[in-house]
């Protein structure tokens, strides 16, 4: 996941102070395209493998995750009463040097998806603040966006990493500015989205039209994430999470008709 992926993640607070977390997982850009069906070959292969996992210990649920069958890391997950996490790819100009060093035996930095898994499985990490602090201070092998949601009002953030954290956009700060959400695709939030892949501004427009009062929990999030271009030819699934109630839903997604290729 340090190499390539395209996604949308959002943490939204409604007018009652409830925090909702939604994400699209877009994956499969290259190496092959099915020109007959106008589909990315890898994306077609991944959709049937989408599964929800209930990770248990001693008969009790530790956390829930949406994943691909056979994948051991965590890219989307929820710990009821604690926190929710999704990760989005980030691109830089360092040509994956951290990953190359890791493959050559330099393991002092951490792989993203296994670090997220550790966050859910570490018994000392039980709430939003602990999860945020752990992820914020861990040095990764490559760039990423880590989107985290919590149970209480204002608990939400986008952590932007090279290998270390270079920026945090918090839900509490955005609420102070008059917004009610944090949103991340695959580009730094302080820079304009590129013209060839602007999923950020359409998603923002949809959320602002809904308003905090009209988000209506999973319904609003699902509608935003199912609207083009956030729903595109690379989208494999949508997951919706609420930390307070433990509600967790995921849907295989397929963009029918005329759709963006990413």
């Amino acid at each position: 996941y340090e190499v390539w992926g395209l996604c949308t993640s959002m943490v939204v607070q409604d007018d009652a102070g409830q925090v909702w977390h939604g994400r699209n997982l877009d994956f499969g850009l290259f190496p092959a395209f099915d020109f007959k069906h106008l589909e990315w070959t890898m994306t077609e292969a991944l959709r049937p493998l989408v599964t929800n996992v209930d990770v248990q210990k001693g008969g009790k649920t530790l956390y829930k995750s949406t994943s691909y069958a056979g994948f051991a890391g965590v890219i989307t997950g929820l710990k009821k009463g604690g926190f929710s996490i999704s990760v989005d790819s980030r691109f830089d100009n360092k040509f994956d040097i951290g990953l190359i060093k890791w493959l050559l035996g330099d393991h002092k930095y951490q792989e993203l998806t296994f670090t997220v898994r550790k966050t859910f499985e570490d018994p000392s990490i039980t709430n939003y603040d602990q999860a945020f602090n752990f992820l914020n201070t861990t040095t990764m092998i490559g760039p990423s966006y880590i989107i985290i949601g919590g149970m209480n009002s204002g608990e939400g953030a986008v952590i932007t990493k090279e290998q270390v954290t270079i920026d945090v956009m918090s839900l509490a700060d955005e609420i102070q500015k008059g917004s009610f959400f944090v949103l991340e695709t695959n580009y730094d939030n302080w820079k304009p989205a590129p013209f060839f892949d602007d999923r950020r501004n359409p998603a923002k427009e949809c959320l602002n039209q809904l308003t905090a009062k009209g988000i209506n929990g999973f319904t609003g999030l699902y509608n935003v994430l199912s609207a083009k271009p956030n729903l595109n030819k690379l989208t494999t699934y949508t997951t919706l999470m609420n930390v307070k109630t433990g509600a967790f839903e995921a849907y295989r997604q397929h963009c029918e008709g005329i759709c963006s290729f990413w």
Side-chain angles (χ1 to χ4, degrees):
Y1 207 79
E2 273 83 355
V3 178
W4 198 266
L6 295 169
C7 307
T8 301
S9 292
M10 59 188 68
V11 180
V12 177
Q13 182 170 306
D14 65 20
D15 63 332
Q18 281 256 44
V19 177
W20 308 85
H21 188 161
R23 73 104 86 250
N24 276 359
L25 196 292
D26 303 344
F27 200 84
L29 186 64
F30 308 120
F33 189 76
D34 179 351
F35 285 95
K36 180 179 179 180
H37 300 101
L38 297 179
E39 298 284 353
W40 294 105
T41 303
M42 184 181 293
T43 307
E44 286 187 300
L46 286 172
R47 282 195 189 99
L49 300 180
V50 173
T51 183
N52 280 345
V53 181
D54 189 321
V55 180
Q56 298 189 355
K57 184 175 182 180
K60 295 183 178 180
T61 298
L62 288 178
Y63 62 96
K64 295 181 179 180
S65 174
T66 306
S67 187
Y68 302 114
F71 182 72
V74 175
I75 45 183
T76 308
L78 165 80
K79 181 185 284 288
K80 182 181 179 181
F83 50 89
S84 55
I85 300 171
S86 61
V87 295
D88 291 5
S89 291
R90 180 176 183 264
F91 312 110
D92 63 11
N93 59 1
K94 297 183 178 179
F95 303 104
D96 300 313
I97 186 65
L99 177 59
I100 293 169
K101 287 182 177 179
W102 189 87
L103 291 172
L104 292 175
D106 183 356
H107 295 162
K108 62 183 177 181
Y109 302 134
Q110 305 304 309
E111 196 278 330
L112 174 63
T113 67
F114 281 92
T115 301
V116 174
R117 176 174 168 174
K118 180 179 180 180
T119 309
F120 281 109
E121 295 181 358
D122 189 329
S124 68
I125 301 175
T126 61
N127 60 42
Y128 172 85
D129 288 336
Q130 292 166 341
F132 174 86
N133 290 334
F134 175 69
L135 294 167
N136 190 40
T137 57
T138 299
T139 302
M140 306 295 182
I141 64 175
S144 62
Y145 300 105
I146 303 173
I147 300 87
I148 181 169
M151 183 173 67
N152 301 311
S153 176
E155 290 186 340
V158 176
I159 302 171
T160 302
K161 285 186 174 285
E162 288 188 348
Q163 288 181 293
V164 298
T165 297
I166 61 170
D167 182 76
V168 173
M169 177 172 59
S170 77
L171 179 59
D173 286 347
E174 293 305 302
I175 290 171
Q176 287 294 317
K177 296 175 186 177
S179 183
F180 62 98
F181 58 85
V182 292
L183 171 70
E184 182 56 59
T185 56
N186 302 101
Y187 306 99
D188 295 339
N189 65 77
W190 59 93
K191 300 176 182 178
F195 72 91
F196 58 85
D197 184 24
D198 185 6
R199 288 166 285 122
R200 179 200 299 164
N201 287 311
K204 280 187 172 182
E205 184 177 349
C206 287
L207 286 169
N208 285 324
Q209 286 179 4
L210 283 172
T211 74
K213 185 177 182 179
I215 196 69
N216 195 21
F218 283 175
T219 301
L221 285 186
Y222 184 81
N223 287 340
V224 173
L225 291 166
S226 296
K228 303 172 185 179
N230 291 96
L231 179 66
N232 56 73
K233 289 293 187 181
L234 285 170
T235 307
T236 57
Y237 70 77
T238 296
T239 298
L240 311 168
M241 302 177 279
N242 183 281
V243 176
K244 188 172 185 178
T245 66
F248 186 91
E249 297 180 6
Y251 302 87
R252 291 189 181 96
Q253 288 275 40
H254 183 247
C255 193
E256 302 284 354
I258 300 173
C259 301
S260 171
F261 287 106
W262 52 76

